[in-house]
Amino acid sequence: MIFDSHAHYDDEAFNEDREKVINGLKDKQVIGVLNCGSTLEGARMSVELSSKYDFIYSAVGVHPEYADIVNQETIDELKSLANNLKVRAIGEIGLDYYHEENPHRDTQMAAFRLQMELAQELKLPVVIHDRDAHKDTLDILKEFPQVIGTVHCFSGSVEFARECLKLGYYIGFTGVITFKNAKKTSEVAKVVPMDRILVETDCPYMAPEPNRGKRNQSDYIKYIIEKIAEVKCKTIEEIEDATTFNIKHLLKINK
């Protein structure tokens, strides 16, 4: 039983066989997917996908890579998209200081705050992107104590994870945890409580071993779950049950 808490089936990597891949997921124990927008077009398509497929839900937001397009008009469109009942979060939003070509840090932080304000207004959880921006990310999260969500593809330290947990956030683990050099990620998984763990693909990216380098898809989460079970000395069923319950609770999915 798999619920993928972060996917991008709107990505062009699925243009040739999107319907076939998605339709095949239910036969592979995938019971739910949160498809996250990264651009306005991606947000629109995420809503379309969640309207078409009963087990897909959507998050709408603008990734920090595109922070320079975020203005009041952008926020108004995201707010309009969020009127759809299948939209369950604002995301993927946050900060990315890794790529030098990304918008200026001040621009990213301004876009981040605008979208956090929207989440607060709509009482929706957020999907946080944080890459090489731990301090600024944490500072902004603290500005919005009424908002919770998930720190997706978690890449920080155990200390940073604990700070996020204090604020009520969930921690999302991708295929990175299956990589041989992922000692830090495994250490984080050890300390994150069972009621705060989420699993995700970030597909088509981040495919876990043994599919590293290939196009990722939601059923590959089984390898992530196996690794987390090993790290936490739990059964696969315990990790499946906990991560499914956690994402349903966060997104207020009752079925």
Side-chain angles (χ1 to χ4, degrees):
M1 186 170 60
I2 292 168
F3 198 123
D4 186 352
S5 67
H6 192 114
H8 297 285
Y9 285 108
D10 57 289
D11 193 276
E12 63 182 10
F14 294 102
N15 282 355
E16 293 186 5
D17 59 353
R18 181 175 291 108
E19 188 169 350
K20 180 181 178 181
V21 172
I22 293 175
N23 283 331
L25 293 177
K26 280 192 171 181
D27 293 331
K28 298 172 180 175
Q29 293 191 307
V30 178
I31 64 166
V33 173
L34 180 66
N35 201 84
C36 301
S38 294
T39 63
L40 273 179
E41 181 56 36
R44 295 176 195 129
M45 192 168 176
S46 289
V47 174
E48 291 175 12
L49 289 170
S50 63
S51 297
K52 183 176 181 179
Y53 299 97
D54 63 343
F55 68 105
I56 294 183
Y57 299 84
S58 50
V60 296
V62 177
H63 187 285
E65 182 180 352
Y66 308 103
D68 49 7
I69 73 161
V70 178
N71 53 31
Q72 191 56 51
E73 185 177 346
T74 309
I75 296 299
D76 289 344
E77 178 167 357
L78 293 175
K79 185 175 181 179
S80 177
L81 288 169
N83 284 329
N84 188 296
L85 293 177
K86 293 295 288 291
V87 175
R88 297 303 176 97
I90 301 298
E92 166 181 1
I93 64 175
L95 303 173
D96 192 321
Y97 295 167
Y98 179 78
H99 296 289
E100 292 184 5
E101 65 271 22
N102 280 350
H104 190 275
R105 293 183 180 190
D106 288 345
T107 302
Q108 291 190 42
M109 287 191 283
F112 188 11
R113 286 188 173 98
L114 281 173
Q115 294 180 94
M116 288 292 285
E117 288 171 1
L118 178 62
Q120 180 173 269
E121 177 187 346
L122 300 179
K123 295 181 173 58
L124 287 173
V126 290
V127 179
I128 301 298
H129 176 102
D130 161 48
R131 191 169 187 190
D132 290 359
H134 305 324
K135 182 184 183 303
D136 286 348
T137 297
L138 187 61
D139 287 346
I140 291 176
L141 296 184
K142 288 179 177 178
E143 292 175 17
F144 299 88
Q146 296 178 350
V147 179
I148 63 167
T150 173
V151 183
H152 121 85
C153 190
F154 192 85
S155 60
S157 64
V158 167
E159 292 74 18
F160 179 57
R162 285 181 170 139
E163 289 299 316
C164 294
L165 291 167
K166 286 178 187 176
L167 295 174
Y169 279 77
Y170 293 73
I171 305 297
F173 292 93
T174 64
V176 169
I177 197 171
T178 69
F179 300 167
K180 291 180 180 178
N181 61 348
K183 182 179 179 181
K184 183 172 74 171
T185 307
S186 293
E187 291 300 318
V188 172
K190 286 180 183 178
V191 304
V192 175
M194 287 286 282
D195 63 355
R196 296 291 188 84
I197 290 181
L198 297 179
V199 286
E200 54 172 283
T201 55
D202 199 20
C203 69
Y205 316 105
M206 299 286 187
E209 298 287 1
N211 296 309
R212 188 173 183 179
K214 299 179 181 179
R215 184 183 69 176
N216 205 0
Q217 59 186 57
S218 297
D219 53 296
Y220 292 172
I221 277 182
K222 65 183 181 180
Y223 301 111
I224 301 170
I225 289 173
E226 288 172 2
K227 183 62 179 180
I228 293 175
E230 175 189 323
V231 166
K232 294 189 75 64
C233 299
K234 301 288 185 179
T235 66
I236 288 172
E237 291 74 18
E238 285 175 314
I239 302 300
E240 286 181 343
D241 290 347
T243 54
T244 298
F245 177 86
N246 292 344
I247 187 61
K248 284 185 172 184
H249 182 72
L250 178 63
L251 302 181
K252 294 183 172 62
I253 296 170
N254 297 320
K255 65 179 183 178

PDB file of all heavy atoms in Angstrom, residues 137-166:
ATOM      1  N   THR A 137      14.889  29.098   5.319  1.00  0.00           N
ATOM      2  CA  THR A 137      13.645  28.325   5.261  1.00  0.00           C
ATOM      3  C   THR A 137      13.021  28.226   6.647  1.00  0.00           C
ATOM      4  O   THR A 137      11.826  28.495   6.829  1.00  0.00           O
ATOM      5  CB  THR A 137      13.908  26.910   4.704  1.00  0.00           C
ATOM      6  OG1 THR A 137      14.383  27.003   3.360  1.00  0.00           O
ATOM      7  CG2 THR A 137      12.634  26.068   4.730  1.00  0.00           C
ATOM      8  N   LEU A 138      13.815  27.857   7.626  1.00  0.00           N
ATOM      9  CA  LEU A 138      13.305  27.701   8.989  1.00  0.00           C
ATOM     10  C   LEU A 138      12.787  29.028   9.535  1.00  0.00           C
ATOM     11  O   LEU A 138      11.713  29.076  10.163  1.00  0.00           O
ATOM     12  CB  LEU A 138      14.406  27.152   9.897  1.00  0.00           C
ATOM     13  CG  LEU A 138      13.992  26.778  11.317  1.00  0.00           C
ATOM     14  CD1 LEU A 138      12.940  25.677  11.308  1.00  0.00           C
ATOM     15  CD2 LEU A 138      15.221  26.345  12.123  1.00  0.00           C
ATOM     16  N   ASP A 139      13.498  30.113   9.266  1.00  0.00           N
ATOM     17  CA  ASP A 139      13.070  31.426   9.747  1.00  0.00           C
ATOM     18  C   ASP A 139      11.698  31.797   9.192  1.00  0.00           C
ATOM     19  O   ASP A 139      10.843  32.324   9.915  1.00  0.00           O
ATOM     20  CB  ASP A 139      14.087  32.495   9.360  1.00  0.00           C
ATOM     21  CG  ASP A 139      15.363  32.417  10.184  1.00  0.00           C
ATOM     22  OD1 ASP A 139      15.353  31.720  11.224  1.00  0.00           O
ATOM     23  OD2 ASP A 139      16.366  33.052   9.790  1.00  0.00           O
ATOM     24  N   ILE A 140      11.471  31.505   7.908  1.00  0.00           N
ATOM     25  CA  ILE A 140      10.180  31.848   7.299  1.00  0.00           C
ATOM     26  C   ILE A 140       9.087  30.918   7.811  1.00  0.00           C
ATOM     27  O   ILE A 140       7.957  31.355   8.069  1.00  0.00           O
ATOM     28  CB  ILE A 140      10.282  31.843   5.760  1.00  0.00           C
ATOM     29  CG1 ILE A 140      11.165  33.013   5.317  1.00  0.00           C
ATOM     30  CG2 ILE A 140       8.888  31.943   5.114  1.00  0.00           C
ATOM     31  CD1 ILE A 140      11.425  33.086   3.827  1.00  0.00           C
ATOM     32  N   LEU A 141       9.377  29.647   7.989  1.00  0.00           N
ATOM     33  CA  LEU A 141       8.384  28.735   8.554  1.00  0.00           C
ATOM     34  C   LEU A 141       7.934  29.231   9.928  1.00  0.00           C
ATOM     35  O   LEU A 141       6.744  29.149  10.267  1.00  0.00           O
ATOM     36  CB  LEU A 141       8.949  27.310   8.671  1.00  0.00           C
ATOM     37  CG  LEU A 141       9.319  26.579   7.379  1.00  0.00           C
ATOM     38  CD1 LEU A 141       9.760  25.152   7.695  1.00  0.00           C
ATOM     39  CD2 LEU A 141       8.192  26.584   6.376  1.00  0.00           C
ATOM     40  N   LYS A 142       8.876  29.745  10.704  1.00  0.00           N
ATOM     41  CA  LYS A 142       8.551  30.236  12.044  1.00  0.00           C
ATOM     42  C   LYS A 142       7.665  31.475  12.006  1.00  0.00           C
ATOM     43  O   LYS A 142       6.966  31.765  12.981  1.00  0.00           O
ATOM     44  CB  LYS A 142       9.832  30.534  12.824  1.00  0.00           C
ATOM     45  CG  LYS A 142      10.589  29.287  13.253  1.00  0.00           C
ATOM     46  CD  LYS A 142      11.868  29.652  13.997  1.00  0.00           C
ATOM     47  CE  LYS A 142      12.605  28.415  14.491  1.00  0.00           C
ATOM     48  NZ  LYS A 142      13.872  28.766  15.178  1.00  0.00           N
ATOM     49  N   GLU A 143       7.684  32.204  10.887  1.00  0.00           N
ATOM     50  CA  GLU A 143       6.838  33.398  10.747  1.00  0.00           C
ATOM     51  C   GLU A 143       5.357  33.032  10.600  1.00  0.00           C
ATOM     52  O   GLU A 143       4.496  33.887  10.764  1.00  0.00           O
ATOM     53  CB  GLU A 143       7.276  34.219   9.535  1.00  0.00           C
ATOM     54  CG  GLU A 143       8.633  34.879   9.672  1.00  0.00           C
ATOM     55  CD  GLU A 143       9.061  35.582   8.388  1.00  0.00           C
ATOM     56  OE1 GLU A 143       8.179  35.833   7.523  1.00  0.00           O
ATOM     57  OE2 GLU A 143      10.257  35.863   8.237  1.00  0.00           O
ATOM     58  N   PHE A 144       5.100  31.763  10.275  1.00  0.00           N
ATOM     59  CA  PHE A 144       3.721  31.320  10.015  1.00  0.00           C
ATOM     60  C   PHE A 144       3.391  30.119  10.890  1.00  0.00           C
ATOM     61  O   PHE A 144       3.249  28.990  10.397  1.00  0.00           O
ATOM     62  CB  PHE A 144       3.553  30.984   8.528  1.00  0.00           C
ATOM     63  CG  PHE A 144       3.788  32.144   7.614  1.00  0.00           C
ATOM     64  CD1 PHE A 144       5.060  32.434   7.136  1.00  0.00           C
ATOM     65  CD2 PHE A 144       2.738  32.985   7.248  1.00  0.00           C
ATOM     66  CE1 PHE A 144       5.277  33.520   6.299  1.00  0.00           C
ATOM     67  CE2 PHE A 144       2.940  34.065   6.414  1.00  0.00           C
ATOM     68  CZ  PHE A 144       4.208  34.347   5.942  1.00  0.00           C
ATOM     69  N   PRO A 145       3.254  30.338  12.194  1.00  0.00           N
ATOM     70  CA  PRO A 145       3.051  29.216  13.122  1.00  0.00           C
ATOM     71  C   PRO A 145       1.738  28.472  12.923  1.00  0.00           C
ATOM     72  O   PRO A 145       1.600  27.337  13.391  1.00  0.00           O
ATOM     73  CB  PRO A 145       3.096  29.895  14.498  1.00  0.00           C
ATOM     74  CG  PRO A 145       2.743  31.322  14.240  1.00  0.00           C
ATOM     75  CD  PRO A 145       3.317  31.635  12.899  1.00  0.00           C
ATOM     76  N   GLN A 146       0.784  29.082  12.219  1.00  0.00           N
ATOM     77  CA  GLN A 146      -0.496  28.406  11.978  1.00  0.00           C
ATOM     78  C   GLN A 146      -0.443  27.465  10.782  1.00  0.00           C
ATOM     79  O   GLN A 146      -1.385  26.699  10.554  1.00  0.00           O
ATOM     80  CB  GLN A 146      -1.600  29.448  11.765  1.00  0.00           C
ATOM     81  CG  GLN A 146      -1.869  30.312  12.987  1.00  0.00           C
ATOM     82  CD  GLN A 146      -2.922  31.371  12.730  1.00  0.00           C
ATOM     83  OE1 GLN A 146      -3.330  31.599  11.599  1.00  0.00           O
ATOM     84  NE2 GLN A 146      -3.375  32.027  13.786  1.00  0.00           N
ATOM     85  N   VAL A 147       0.653  27.517  10.028  1.00  0.00           N
ATOM     86  CA  VAL A 147       0.789  26.691   8.825  1.00  0.00           C
ATOM     87  C   VAL A 147       1.680  25.493   9.128  1.00  0.00           C
ATOM     88  O   VAL A 147       2.725  25.626   9.765  1.00  0.00           O
ATOM     89  CB  VAL A 147       1.400  27.511   7.664  1.00  0.00           C
ATOM     90  CG1 VAL A 147       1.570  26.636   6.423  1.00  0.00           C
ATOM     91  CG2 VAL A 147       0.540  28.730   7.352  1.00  0.00           C
ATOM     92  N   ILE A 148       1.263  24.319   8.659  1.00  0.00           N
ATOM     93  CA  ILE A 148       2.120  23.132   8.723  1.00  0.00           C
ATOM     94  C   ILE A 148       2.181  22.508   7.336  1.00  0.00           C
ATOM     95  O   ILE A 148       1.513  22.957   6.400  1.00  0.00           O
ATOM     96  CB  ILE A 148       1.631  22.093   9.752  1.00  0.00           C
ATOM     97  CG1 ILE A 148       0.245  21.564   9.367  1.00  0.00           C
ATOM     98  CG2 ILE A 148       1.652  22.663  11.151  1.00  0.00           C
ATOM     99  CD1 ILE A 148      -0.153  20.321  10.142  1.00  0.00           C
ATOM    100  N   GLY A 149       2.983  21.470   7.204  1.00  0.00           N
ATOM    101  CA  GLY A 149       3.104  20.819   5.913  1.00  0.00           C
ATOM    102  C   GLY A 149       4.210  19.801   5.945  1.00  0.00           C
ATOM    103  O   GLY A 149       4.511  19.216   6.994  1.00  0.00           O
ATOM    104  N   THR A 150       4.854  19.611   4.800  1.00  0.00           N
ATOM    105  CA  THR A 150       5.952  18.664   4.699  1.00  0.00           C
ATOM    106  C   THR A 150       7.171  19.342   4.105  1.00  0.00           C
ATOM    107  O   THR A 150       7.057  20.163   3.200  1.00  0.00           O
ATOM    108  CB  THR A 150       5.571  17.440   3.841  1.00  0.00           C
ATOM    109  OG1 THR A 150       6.728  16.623   3.631  1.00  0.00           O
ATOM    110  CG2 THR A 150       5.023  17.861   2.488  1.00  0.00           C
ATOM    111  N   VAL A 151       8.333  19.015   4.661  1.00  0.00           N
ATOM    112  CA  VAL A 151       9.595  19.437   4.061  1.00  0.00           C
ATOM    113  C   VAL A 151       9.997  18.302   3.128  1.00  0.00           C
ATOM    114  O   VAL A 151      10.431  17.244   3.570  1.00  0.00           O
ATOM    115  CB  VAL A 151      10.676  19.700   5.117  1.00  0.00           C
ATOM    116  CG1 VAL A 151      11.954  20.213   4.443  1.00  0.00           C
ATOM    117  CG2 VAL A 151      10.178  20.710   6.145  1.00  0.00           C
ATOM    118  N   HIS A 152       9.791  18.547   1.846  1.00  0.00           N
ATOM    119  CA  HIS A 152       9.928  17.486   0.858  1.00  0.00           C
ATOM    120  C   HIS A 152      11.396  17.243   0.511  1.00  0.00           C
ATOM    121  O   HIS A 152      12.227  18.131   0.627  1.00  0.00           O
ATOM    122  CB  HIS A 152       9.076  17.857  -0.369  1.00  0.00           C
ATOM    123  CG  HIS A 152       9.809  17.964  -1.656  1.00  0.00           C
ATOM    124  ND1 HIS A 152      10.071  16.882  -2.453  1.00  0.00           N
ATOM    125  CD2 HIS A 152      10.301  19.038  -2.322  1.00  0.00           C
ATOM    126  CE1 HIS A 152      10.699  17.287  -3.549  1.00  0.00           C
ATOM    127  NE2 HIS A 152      10.861  18.580  -3.488  1.00  0.00           N
ATOM    128  N   CYS A 153      11.683  15.998   0.160  1.00  0.00           N
ATOM    129  CA  CYS A 153      13.052  15.592  -0.216  1.00  0.00           C
ATOM    130  C   CYS A 153      14.049  16.126   0.816  1.00  0.00           C
ATOM    131  O   CYS A 153      14.987  16.841   0.481  1.00  0.00           O
ATOM    132  CB  CYS A 153      13.393  16.101  -1.616  1.00  0.00           C
ATOM    133  SG  CYS A 153      14.923  15.438  -2.302  1.00  0.00           S
ATOM    134  N   PHE A 154      13.829  15.769   2.056  1.00  0.00           N
ATOM    135  CA  PHE A 154      14.582  16.361   3.151  1.00  0.00           C
ATOM    136  C   PHE A 154      16.080  16.137   2.971  1.00  0.00           C
ATOM    137  O   PHE A 154      16.535  15.014   2.752  1.00  0.00           O
ATOM    138  CB  PHE A 154      14.131  15.775   4.489  1.00  0.00           C
ATOM    139  CG  PHE A 154      14.661  16.533   5.666  1.00  0.00           C
ATOM    140  CD1 PHE A 154      14.000  17.646   6.146  1.00  0.00           C
ATOM    141  CD2 PHE A 154      15.846  16.133   6.273  1.00  0.00           C
ATOM    142  CE1 PHE A 154      14.505  18.365   7.225  1.00  0.00           C
ATOM    143  CE2 PHE A 154      16.354  16.840   7.352  1.00  0.00           C
ATOM    144  CZ  PHE A 154      15.687  17.960   7.823  1.00  0.00           C
ATOM    145  N   SER A 155      16.851  17.226   3.079  1.00  0.00           N
ATOM    146  CA  SER A 155      18.298  17.148   2.852  1.00  0.00           C
ATOM    147  C   SER A 155      19.101  17.746   3.993  1.00  0.00           C
ATOM    148  O   SER A 155      20.322  17.886   3.892  1.00  0.00           O
ATOM    149  CB  SER A 155      18.666  17.877   1.551  1.00  0.00           C
ATOM    150  OG  SER A 155      18.297  19.251   1.614  1.00  0.00           O
ATOM    151  N   GLY A 156      18.421  18.107   5.074  1.00  0.00           N
ATOM    152  CA  GLY A 156      19.104  18.760   6.182  1.00  0.00           C
ATOM    153  C   GLY A 156      19.648  17.787   7.213  1.00  0.00           C
ATOM    154  O   GLY A 156      19.630  16.563   7.040  1.00  0.00           O
ATOM    155  N   SER A 157      20.120  18.351   8.298  1.00  0.00           N
ATOM    156  CA  SER A 157      20.706  17.575   9.393  1.00  0.00           C
ATOM    157  C   SER A 157      19.632  17.073  10.347  1.00  0.00           C
ATOM    158  O   SER A 157      18.459  17.457  10.256  1.00  0.00           O
ATOM    159  CB  SER A 157      21.683  18.463  10.177  1.00  0.00           C
ATOM    160  OG  SER A 157      20.962  19.539  10.782  1.00  0.00           O
ATOM    161  N   VAL A 158      20.058  16.247  11.281  1.00  0.00           N
ATOM    162  CA  VAL A 158      19.152  15.793  12.340  1.00  0.00           C
ATOM    163  C   VAL A 158      18.645  16.989  13.136  1.00  0.00           C
ATOM    164  O   VAL A 158      17.455  17.068  13.485  1.00  0.00           O
ATOM    165  CB  VAL A 158      19.872  14.786  13.268  1.00  0.00           C
ATOM    166  CG1 VAL A 158      19.055  14.550  14.539  1.00  0.00           C
ATOM    167  CG2 VAL A 158      20.120  13.467  12.540  1.00  0.00           C
ATOM    168  N   GLU A 159      19.531  17.944  13.411  1.00  0.00           N
ATOM    169  CA  GLU A 159      19.133  19.134  14.176  1.00  0.00           C
ATOM    170  C   GLU A 159      18.071  19.942  13.432  1.00  0.00           C
ATOM    171  O   GLU A 159      17.094  20.410  14.039  1.00  0.00           O
ATOM    172  CB  GLU A 159      20.359  20.008  14.455  1.00  0.00           C
ATOM    173  CG  GLU A 159      21.366  19.392  15.412  1.00  0.00           C
ATOM    174  CD  GLU A 159      22.197  18.264  14.792  1.00  0.00           C
ATOM    175  OE1 GLU A 159      22.254  18.179  13.537  1.00  0.00           O
ATOM    176  OE2 GLU A 159      22.757  17.450  15.554  1.00  0.00           O
ATOM    177  N   PHE A 160      18.259  20.117  12.130  1.00  0.00           N
ATOM    178  CA  PHE A 160      17.285  20.857  11.337  1.00  0.00           C
ATOM    179  C   PHE A 160      15.950  20.110  11.304  1.00  0.00           C
ATOM    180  O   PHE A 160      14.880  20.720  11.406  1.00  0.00           O
ATOM    181  CB  PHE A 160      17.815  21.071   9.918  1.00  0.00           C
ATOM    182  CG  PHE A 160      16.873  21.814   9.007  1.00  0.00           C
ATOM    183  CD1 PHE A 160      16.404  23.072   9.342  1.00  0.00           C
ATOM    184  CD2 PHE A 160      16.460  21.248   7.805  1.00  0.00           C
ATOM    185  CE1 PHE A 160      15.540  23.768   8.503  1.00  0.00           C
ATOM    186  CE2 PHE A 160      15.601  21.930   6.966  1.00  0.00           C
ATOM    187  CZ  PHE A 160      15.134  23.194   7.309  1.00  0.00           C
ATOM    188  N   ALA A 161      16.001  18.794  11.188  1.00  0.00           N
ATOM    189  CA  ALA A 161      14.775  17.988  11.198  1.00  0.00           C
ATOM    190  C   ALA A 161      14.020  18.194  12.505  1.00  0.00           C
ATOM    191  O   ALA A 161      12.790  18.360  12.507  1.00  0.00           O
ATOM    192  CB  ALA A 161      15.111  16.511  11.002  1.00  0.00           C
ATOM    193  N   ARG A 162      14.742  18.203  13.602  1.00  0.00           N
ATOM    194  CA  ARG A 162      14.089  18.382  14.901  1.00  0.00           C
ATOM    195  C   ARG A 162      13.412  19.751  15.002  1.00  0.00           C
ATOM    196  O   ARG A 162      12.336  19.881  15.580  1.00  0.00           O
ATOM    197  CB  ARG A 162      15.110  18.193  16.021  1.00  0.00           C
ATOM    198  CG  ARG A 162      15.481  16.723  16.231  1.00  0.00           C
ATOM    199  CD  ARG A 162      16.471  16.549  17.355  1.00  0.00           C
ATOM    200  NE  ARG A 162      16.637  15.123  17.685  1.00  0.00           N
ATOM    201  CZ  ARG A 162      17.797  14.547  17.961  1.00  0.00           C
ATOM    202  NH1 ARG A 162      18.919  15.266  17.960  1.00  0.00           N
ATOM    203  NH2 ARG A 162      17.867  13.256  18.247  1.00  0.00           N
ATOM    204  N   GLU A 163      14.037  20.772  14.433  1.00  0.00           N
ATOM    205  CA  GLU A 163      13.432  22.106  14.439  1.00  0.00           C
ATOM    206  C   GLU A 163      12.148  22.124  13.608  1.00  0.00           C
ATOM    207  O   GLU A 163      11.147  22.740  14.005  1.00  0.00           O
ATOM    208  CB  GLU A 163      14.431  23.138  13.902  1.00  0.00           C
ATOM    209  CG  GLU A 163      15.595  23.427  14.829  1.00  0.00           C
ATOM    210  CD  GLU A 163      15.154  24.004  16.162  1.00  0.00           C
ATOM    211  OE1 GLU A 163      14.286  24.902  16.170  1.00  0.00           O
ATOM    212  OE2 GLU A 163      15.662  23.544  17.204  1.00  0.00           O
ATOM    213  N   CYS A 164      12.167  21.457  12.477  1.00  0.00           N
ATOM    214  CA  CYS A 164      10.972  21.375  11.630  1.00  0.00           C
ATOM    215  C   CYS A 164       9.859  20.598  12.340  1.00  0.00           C
ATOM    216  O   CYS A 164       8.682  20.980  12.278  1.00  0.00           O
ATOM    217  CB  CYS A 164      11.307  20.715  10.296  1.00  0.00           C
ATOM    218  SG  CYS A 164      12.426  21.674   9.248  1.00  0.00           S
ATOM    219  N   LEU A 165      10.235  19.528  13.005  1.00  0.00           N
ATOM    220  CA  LEU A 165       9.257  18.726  13.745  1.00  0.00           C
ATOM    221  C   LEU A 165       8.607  19.539  14.856  1.00  0.00           C
ATOM    222  O   LEU A 165       7.398  19.424  15.095  1.00  0.00           O
ATOM    223  CB  LEU A 165       9.937  17.483  14.328  1.00  0.00           C
ATOM    224  CG  LEU A 165      10.382  16.421  13.313  1.00  0.00           C
ATOM    225  CD1 LEU A 165      11.313  15.411  13.977  1.00  0.00           C
ATOM    226  CD2 LEU A 165       9.192  15.719  12.689  1.00  0.00           C
ATOM    227  N   LYS A 166       9.384  20.380  15.526  1.00  0.00           N
ATOM    228  CA  LYS A 166       8.841  21.233  16.584  1.00  0.00           C
ATOM    229  C   LYS A 166       7.739  22.145  16.059  1.00  0.00           C
ATOM    230  O   LYS A 166       6.803  22.492  16.774  1.00  0.00           O
ATOM    231  CB  LYS A 166       9.946  22.090  17.205  1.00  0.00           C
ATOM    232  CG  LYS A 166      10.895  21.348  18.119  1.00  0.00           C
ATOM    233  CD  LYS A 166      11.965  22.317  18.634  1.00  0.00           C
ATOM    234  CE  LYS A 166      13.035  21.591  19.422  1.00  0.00           C
ATOM    235  NZ  LYS A 166      14.116  22.533  19.834  1.00  0.00           N
TER     236      LYS A 166
END
